[in-house]
Amino acid sequence: QKEVEQNSGPLSVPEGAIASLNCTYSDRGSQSFFWYRQYSGKSPELIMFIYSNGDKEDGRFTAQLNKASQYVSLLIRDSQPSDSATYLCAVNIGRGNQFYFGTGTSLTVIP
Amino acid sequence: DAGITQSPRYKITETGRQVTLMCHQTWSHSYMFWYRQDLGHGLRLIYYSAAADITDKGEVPDGYVVSRSKTENFPLTLESATRSQTSVYFCASRGLAGEGAYEQYFGPGTRLTVT
């Protein structure tokens, strides 16, 4: 079992809709959780991080964490074509300083 | 310019050759990382370094060597390149994102092709 699992997609949503991206992780010792956005041919860039149970909002983005269910999600409200990218879930597991990444979910926002 | 840079950005080499990928950061971050990104596997950690002269293996270290004589540089060497090492390589350094969480900042990547 991989440390971090994501639905590979692709996920398509119409412009203005809510995009929901999901991630599960296997290690209950996981401490911090990150969502990165990666445009084709570019490097990953951080868009959200969360480490407490519950919701964290930043503009159109909301990260949700449920440690009991080992589940973290990213909601993108009012999706824009510029949100079309691959979204990577990353988990910082306590041992070492290693980050484990999911394989990413490809999102396309249709104008 | 401040930030994290990688060189070269693109490299084509032949099987069996040694190749070194360079990474340089100007933030004085203690931690630096090397990842490779392949379709279907996502980002996988090759090696990381907690400080100068301190390195440790990640998930896929075989065939790679790292060194870190200076805080700002973290070169990755493929001692004898194989076709399976064709990939996009990202260097990253770790900084404080806030609220006690640490973010990794990524370099622009090096696309390596081994023929």
Side-chain angles (χ1 to χ4, degrees):
Chain A
Q1 181 185 3
K2 291 185 177 180
E3 298 277 2
V4 180
E5 300 264 12
Q6 291 181 254
N7 291 334
S8 60
L11 175 65
S12 293
V13 299
E15 183 174 354
I18 296 175
S20 178
L21 306 165
N22 304 315
C23 175
T24 58
Y25 58 95
S26 61
D27 193 321
R28 288 192 175 273
S30 301
Q31 298 178 337
S32 304
F33 308 85
F34 303 82
W35 283 100
Y36 284 82
R37 177 176 61 201
Q38 186 176 26
Y39 293 114
S40 180
K42 301 295 185 182
S43 57
E45 57 177 329
L46 181 73
I47 53 173
M48 289 287 291
F49 68 90
I50 187 168
Y51 70 100
S52 297
N53 273 329
D55 295 359
K56 181 180 180 182
E57 186 175 316
D58 184 1
R60 295 185 297 111
F61 299 96
T62 299
Q64 299 174 317
L65 175 62
N66 184 325
K67 289 188 176 181
S69 300
Q70 296 175 247
Y71 176 93
V72 58
S73 64
L74 179 70
L75 300 178
I76 306 174
R77 292 182 301 281
D78 188 23
S79 295
Q80 301 297 308
S82 59
D83 295 326
S84 297
T86 295
Y87 290 80
L88 305 173
C89 173
V91 175
N92 179 209
I93 299 172
R95 60 182 187 274
N97 282 278
Q98 298 196 26
F99 286 65
Y100 289 87
F101 285 80
T103 54
T105 299
S106 175
L107 171 67
T108 300
V109 180
I110 303 168
Chain B
D1 290 345
I4 185 166
T5 57
Q6 294 182 234
S7 62
R9 295 293 314 280
Y10 302 90
K11 177 73 176 178
I12 300 174
T13 191
E14 295 177 343
T15 299
R17 291 193 179 270
Q18 182 181 83
V19 60
T20 296
L21 310 183
M22 304 301 294
C23 179
H24 175 80
Q25 54 103 357
T26 60
W27 292 304
S28 298
H29 288 165
S30 295
Y31 283 89
M32 295 186 73
F33 306 82
W34 274 106
Y35 291 90
R36 59 179 291 175
Q37 187 173 37
D38 307 287
L39 281 173
H41 290 282
L43 283 160
R44 290 182 292 174
L45 182 65
I46 304 170
Y47 269 96
Y48 69 99
S49 169
D53 299 321
I54 301 175
T55 62
D56 206 350
K57 296 178 180 179
E59 185 182 355
V60 289
D62 293 343
Y64 302 95
V65 175
V66 294
S67 62
R68 193 158 177 218
S69 58
K70 293 183 178 181
T71 300
E72 61 267 29
N73 297 324
F74 191 35
L76 175 73
T77 297
L78 288 68
E79 294 188 298
S80 178
T82 65
R83 289 195 181 89
S84 65
Q85 292 177 309
T86 293
S87 187
V88 179
Y89 291 85
F90 287 103
C91 178
S93 67
R94 194 188 81 165
L96 186 61
E99 302 176 41
Y102 286 89
E103 172 194 357
Q104 290 197 357
Y105 296 89
F106 286 85
T110 294
R111 185 173 294 275
L112 176 67
T113 301
V114 183
T115 63

